[in-house]
Amino acid sequence: MNDDLQRRIQDALANPQNMGELANADSVGTVGNADCGEMLRLWVKFKEQNGRKVIDRATFQSFGCETAIAVASLATELIRGKTAEEALALKTEELAGELGPLPPMKIHCAQLVEGALRSALAPEKVEATPAASSNSPTLLDSFSKPKEGIKLTFLDEKK
Ligand code: FES
């Protein structure tokens, strides 16, 4: 990882946003990556705004990976005020936001966040397509076109 990316990740980790369980969440998604052993859980709460159901708040828990924590911190801020469809249409690199392009070995960290978001916002589609993609341009695309690359495991939730 280059120094610049490391600095941006450390900046995001210096003040991580939206960490921890969200009480009274409307949905929750959990994914795990069997290769690196990382797990990420994401909670989402909605609200009505101008006749639209939008994301009021999203929080997450992750277990160790700094890049996944940094991406989840940025992504949970990014999806605020968006509908589920708008959030699902975000590309992996958009979720990583100001971290900028991730090196190949770290792309799966952002995909873990993407998978947890997908699991929380569209669990019925996750069941239909249990494998996440390494090169799907959007979350919605990955529903209809399973691809190879990342080994995400979607875990059962108590909702
Ligand atoms: Fe696997 Fe970051 S190293 S999620």
Side-chain angles (χ1 to χ4, degrees):
M1 196 168 356
N2 66 40
D3 289 348
D4 194 39
L5 176 62
Q6 187 63 45
R7 183 186 51 73
R8 282 178 276 142
I9 289 173
Q10 290 305 325
D11 285 349
L13 290 174
N15 185 24
Q17 304 295 303
N18 309 311
M19 281 182 79
E21 185 171 350
L22 179 58
N24 303 318
D26 295 312
S27 61
V28 57
T30 305
V31 293
N33 184 310
D35 286 342
C36 67
E38 181 60 66
M39 234 178 86
L40 194 133
R41 180 166 292 162
L42 195 139
W43 290 265
V44 178
K45 185 149 190 65
F46 292 96
K47 68 178 178 182
E48 289 291 322
Q49 188 175 57
N50 302 324
R52 297 184 342 143
K53 184 180 171 188
V54 300
I55 295 167
D56 182 31
R57 181 128 198 257
T59 68
F60 71 97
Q61 278 183 340
S62 179
F63 303 95
C65 170
E66 293 187 343
T67 306
I69 292 171
V71 172
S73 173
L74 295 166
T76 49
E77 283 294 295
L78 182 70
I79 63 174
R80 255 187 207 203
K82 295 189 187 312
T83 64
E85 292 72 24
E86 289 167 345
L88 289 168
L90 291 167
K91 297 176 181 176
T92 310
E93 57 268 27
E94 291 175 305
L95 292 176
E98 60 204 47
L99 289 183
L102 296 173
M105 64 182 287
K106 288 291 175 186
I107 289 173
H108 81 274
C109 309
Q111 289 170 333
L112 196 75
V113 177
E114 176 185 327
L117 186 62
R118 182 154 54 101
S119 177
L121 295 179
E124 71 287 353
K125 305 221 175 175
V126 165
E127 282 167 21
T129 310
S133 152
S134 64
N135 51 5
S136 294
T138 69
L139 299 178
L140 285 175
D141 289 341
S142 62
F143 293 154
S144 55
K145 236 184 343 178
K147 296 170 196 148
E148 298 173 358
I150 184 171
K151 292 176 190 163
L152 288 186
T153 304
F154 294 94
L155 306 166
D156 285 341
E157 289 301 325
K158 284 189 214 162
K159 293 181 185 168

